[in-house]
Amino acid sequence: MGEKVEVLISKEDVEKRICEVARQINKDFGPDAQLHLVCVLKGGVFFMCELAKHLDMQVTMDFMSVSSYGDDTKSSGVVRIIKDLDEPLEGKEVLVVEDIIDSGRTLSYLLEVLKGRNPASIHLCTLLDKPDRRVVENVSVDYCCFEIPDEFVVGYGLDYAQKYRNLSYIGVVRLYGEEADA
Ligand code: IMP
Ligand code: MG
């Protein structure tokens, strides 16, 4: 069985939209804000770096790794912290930066954990959102670059079995051959 990746959102469109969202964040927070970006590894890292380059205020960054997926395309429903943040969130203006919100289980869990650390505020910014797939109600997205249909996507940090994170565009994985055709 083979795999190929079809372009869903081009590099140019991704970068243009990230720039627009950054401009909105600049407007909402203002130049005097100190924004603490919390990147959800590994998928959020390309997005956070690109977004951060267009932010005007003072920015700090921290990284966290939470897992709700194995090496396939189905949610296990199990969320666990693999790597916690290095810094406390107490009193900080926090912007959580995610690659994609699918069922919402990961974010629902993560936001509860982070709110418990007493940040001054907490907002959520995601590169992609699949609203049709949501199973939890309590995840409110403050900034979203693209809403996409229910397709498994890769690139710009997102993986399929750890592959394709380095693609500069967002694509859909197509499987072909005997198993996929069955
Ligand atoms: P959720 O808990 O179902 O919202 O899943 C969120 C996580 O699942 C994301 O942060 C991704 O790591 C992964 N994920 C969900 N959909 C996709 C996809 O289409 N491509 C790659 N990873 C995905
Ligand atoms: Mg993620």
Side-chain angles (χ1 to χ4, degrees):
M1 194 170 60
E3 287 164 30
K4 63 174 189 243
V5 181
E6 279 170 16
V7 179
L8 180 69
I9 309 170
S10 71
K11 174 181 190 284
E12 291 71 27
D13 287 349
V14 176
E15 288 174 358
K16 188 166 153 246
R17 179 67 187 136
I18 293 175
C19 196
E20 279 172 15
V21 168
R23 250 186 259 130
Q24 186 61 50
I25 295 170
N26 287 335
K27 208 168 134 203
D28 293 350
F29 286 83
D32 299 329
Q34 291 204 357
L35 199 54
H36 190 61
L37 304 182
V38 167
C39 175
V40 185
L41 293 170
K42 301 168 187 162
V45 75
F46 284 63
F47 175 41
M48 187 175 89
C49 293
E50 188 60 26
L51 183 78
K53 286 192 264 177
H54 300 287
L55 295 176
D56 292 340
M57 69 287 285
Q58 207 173 76
V59 160
T60 51
M61 297 174 186
D62 206 346
F63 299 85
M64 180 164 200
S65 183
V66 193
S67 172
S68 65
Y69 275 76
D71 262 359
D72 57 18
T73 60
K74 297 262 162 40
S75 172
S76 65
V78 178
V79 178
R80 62 196 170 103
I81 294 180
I82 294 171
K83 182 216 172 293
D84 207 339
L85 298 170
D86 294 336
E87 306 287 331
L89 297 182
E90 180 92 42
K92 292 181 181 154
E93 303 244 55
V94 173
L95 184 67
V96 176
V97 182
E98 250 288 24
D99 52 357
I100 188 164
I101 307 175
D102 186 32
S103 70
R105 284 196 192 99
T106 309
L107 255 300
S108 167
Y109 170 83
L110 187 61
L111 289 172
E112 283 317 303
V113 171
L114 300 182
K115 279 177 194 161
R117 298 181 186 183
N118 298 320
S121 68
I122 188 157
H123 291 84
L124 173 61
C125 180
T126 187
L127 177 62
L128 303 170
D129 188 2
K130 290 193 222 174
D132 297 346
R133 297 260 306 165
R134 200 73 91 253
V135 299
V136 295
E137 301 296 327
N138 61 340
V139 173
S140 85
V141 183
D142 299 291
Y143 304 97
C144 170
C145 294
F146 301 96
E147 287 195 356
I148 59 164
D150 180 11
E151 299 248 39
F152 196 83
V153 291
V154 294
Y156 223 88
L158 291 129
D159 74 301
Y160 171 59
Q162 299 302 324
K163 295 176 289 185
Y164 307 120
R165 291 192 195 276
N166 60 314
L167 299 179
S168 58
Y169 57 90
I170 293 163
V172 178
V173 181
R174 301 279 180 221
L175 304 178
Y176 59 90
E178 277 169 42
E179 225 180 287
D181 295 340

